């Protein structure tokens, strides 16, 4: 049996993928984002016995069976859920092979750090991946997340080719990720992958950020509008802005 620590679940969400979704948050992340809104899920933790893990998986499945008539799908988030690859694979396979649950769409909310071999294990069981590309320039990406974005770019290409890339998200930070040159490179990369892929703009906010993140200003609405205009001018056709 696979193992993972479930930090929490949400029975109903309309912001974690299409429709009304059941959301599972797994513990542990290999990025250290300044803007993380779930900082309690960064630290990796372990349950004490395999039985705890088994009850955790079956508990999720039992909850889904109860809620299935009211749900569109299941999203697993974190932390970084792909750190628990076996758990993720087992959970989604269970859902997709259960006659009472297999109509539910299965989504992963990821930072994109999984390698292609790992994604191949999930491809048969997932319907979509919502993936963060917080910055195109490697130095800027490392400043925000603590990690390079080479694997993220590889994941975007790989998932798009297999029609599993549901959404790319850009964190708009004034003076960092909203620079015209940064945006042009970002848009041209995404355009080469699929210019029609949904690119969701995320406004930077101070809520939940680390102390060093307070030096960056919160993103103004006019900045979001300008960023959207630049991306669209560069050929992206599905740019989503915060409401």
């Amino acid at each position: 049996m696979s193992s993972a620590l479930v930090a929490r679940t949400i029975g109903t969400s309309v912001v974690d993928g299409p429709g009304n979704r059941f959301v599972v948050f797994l513990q542990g992340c290999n990025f250290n984002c300044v803007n993380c809104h779930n900082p309690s899920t960064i630290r990796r933790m372990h349950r004490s016995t395999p039985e705890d893990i088994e009850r955790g998986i079956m508990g999720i499945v039992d909850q889904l069976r109860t809620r299935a008539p009211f749900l569109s799908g299941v999203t697993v988030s974190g932390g970084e859920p792909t750190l628990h690859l076996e758990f993720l694979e087992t959970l989604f396979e269970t859902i997709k092979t259960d006659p009472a649950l297999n109509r539910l769409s299965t989504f992963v909310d990821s930072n994109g750090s999984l390698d292609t071999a790992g994604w191949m294990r999930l491809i048969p069981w997932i319907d979509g991946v919502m993936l963060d590309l917080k910055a195109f320039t490697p130095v800027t990406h490392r400043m925000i997340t603590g990690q390079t974005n080479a694997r993220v770019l590889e994941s975007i290409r790989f998932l798009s080719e297999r029609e599993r890339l549901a959404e790319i998200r850009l964190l708009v930070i004034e003076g960092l990720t909203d620079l015209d040159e940064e945006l042009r490179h970002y848009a041209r990369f995404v355009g080469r992958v699929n210019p029609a892929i949904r690119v969701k703009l995320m406004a930077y906010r101070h809520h939940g950020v680390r102390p060093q993140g307070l030096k960056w200003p919160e993103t103004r609405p006019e900045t979001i509008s300008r960023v959207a205009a630049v991306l669209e001018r560069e050929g992206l056709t599905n740019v989503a802005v915060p409401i």
Side-chain angles (χ1 to χ4, degrees):
M1 174 60 68
S2 59
S3 62
L5 178 59
V6 177
R8 62 188 175 114
T9 62
I10 297 178
T12 300
S13 172
V14 296
V15 297
D16 292 281
N20 183 29
R21 309 190 69 78
F22 186 91
V23 187
V24 182
F25 292 88
L26 299 182
Q27 184 73 36
C29 189
N30 53 347
F31 281 15
N32 192 25
C33 298
V34 172
N35 67 303
C36 182
H37 293 297
N38 296 314
S40 62
T41 66
I42 293 177
R43 186 165 63 93
R44 301 191 193 192
M45 300 171 64
H46 302 278
R47 291 186 187 268
S48 56
T49 67
E51 288 74 20
D52 290 335
I53 302 305
E54 184 174 358
R55 287 198 301 270
I57 289 177
M58 296 316 299
I60 292 170
V61 172
D62 289 342
Q63 286 180 282
L64 287 174
R65 288 197 181 105
T66 301
R67 292 179 166 85
F70 312 102
L71 293 172
S72 305
V74 182
T75 297
V76 182
S77 185
E80 173 48 40
T82 63
L83 293 180
H84 309 280
L85 185 58
E86 186 180 351
F87 179 91
L88 203 58
E89 183 181 19
T90 301
L91 177 61
F92 284 155
E93 181 180 4
T94 301
I95 293 169
K96 288 300 189 181
T97 56
D98 187 319
L101 301 176
N102 60 16
R103 69 168 187 84
L104 299 177
S105 64
T106 50
F107 274 57
V108 180
D109 186 338
S110 175
N111 63 24
S113 61
L114 185 64
D115 60 21
T116 55
W119 286 123
M120 280 300 297
R121 291 175 57 179
L122 295 178
I123 288 295
W125 313 115
I126 60 174
D127 296 301
V129 178
M130 300 176 294
L131 191 147
D132 292 320
L133 176 56
K134 289 188 168 71
F136 183 82
T137 304
V139 172
T140 303
H141 191 274
R142 186 180 291 276
M143 186 185 304
I144 297 169
T145 70
Q147 298 291 337
T148 182
N149 63 1
R151 186 69 64 75
V152 182
L153 301 178
E154 182 181 22
S155 292
I156 288 173
R157 287 188 288 259
F158 181 85
L159 292 168
S160 179
E161 289 172 357
R162 287 153 183 81
E163 299 184 343
R164 294 298 192 278
L165 186 60
E167 176 180 277
I168 302 172
R169 290 172 299 209
L170 168 59
L171 179 65
V172 180
I173 304 176
E174 296 189 13
L176 284 178
T177 64
D178 70 328
L179 303 177
D180 283 355
E181 183 176 4
E182 167 78 16
L183 293 172
R184 283 194 294 270
H185 287 302
Y186 194 106
R188 290 169 186 173
F189 168 76
V190 175
R192 288 192 295 271
V193 172
N194 179 0
I197 194 70
R198 175 181 165 92
V199 176
K200 185 176 181 180
L201 303 185
M202 309 292 290
Y204 181 76
R205 295 287 179 258
H206 286 161
H207 175 70
V209 306
R210 313 297 175 77
Q212 63 266 37
L214 297 176
K215 66 184 179 182
W216 300 334
E218 292 194 335
T219 307
R220 296 167 296 174
E222 55 266 34
T223 301
I224 292 289
S225 297
R226 180 178 58 80
V227 169
V230 173
L231 296 178
E232 289 168 351
R233 190 166 60 244
E234 292 294 330
L236 302 189
T237 61
N238 191 8
V239 180
V241 301
I243 299 176

